[in-house]
Amino acid sequence: IFFCPHTPEEGCDCRKPNPGLIYKAQRIHRIDIENTAMVGDSAKDIECARNAGCKHAVLVKTGNGIIAEKILAEKNIYPDHVARDLLGAANWIITQHK
């Protein structure tokens, strides 16, 4: 588990939508970001995936997902897939990596 302990005013690189925590996970776990999918339920999650260079950004409609779709559309940012829930996201990711 990685988390950002900073407030938005601190301007750190680990607070989403900045990709600092993804890069930290990449170093520790040797993740190939260019072939990785990030799943989230917020606009910041999808922006973070794009900022980090993840192959796929998947939005789930649980939690904040419905609001996130509207925010992302206003910013002209679109996830690669929108899933109803985490299972739907996982199933879509599996089909992309066959």
Side-chain angles (χ1 to χ4, degrees):
I1 297 174
F2 299 95
F3 70 95
C4 172
H6 308 104
T7 64
E9 296 77 31
E10 291 179 75
C12 67
D13 71 340
C14 60
R15 190 168 186 88
K16 293 183 286 185
N18 296 325
L21 289 179
I22 291 179
Y23 295 153
K24 181 177 181 179
Q26 175 190 31
R27 288 188 304 274
I28 292 171
H29 299 292
R30 295 182 228 164
I31 297 169
D32 179 5
I33 291 177
E34 293 177 359
N35 288 304
T36 299
M38 180 169 171
V39 178
D41 72 342
S42 74
K44 288 183 180 181
D45 292 335
I46 302 306
E47 290 178 77
C48 183
R50 295 289 187 234
N51 291 337
C54 295
K55 182 174 183 175
H56 298 294
V58 181
L59 179 69
V60 291
K61 288 190 173 186
T62 54
N64 300 311
I66 294 171
I67 295 168
E69 274 190 292
K70 293 176 185 177
I71 293 169
L72 290 166
E74 289 170 3
K75 294 182 174 187
N76 205 27
I77 299 171
Y78 300 95
D80 297 301
H81 182 68
V82 178
R84 187 177 67 151
D85 54 25
L86 191 55
L87 178 60
N91 287 333
W92 183 84
I93 291 166
I94 289 167
T95 66
Q96 301 306 302
H97 291 276
K98 284 187 175 180

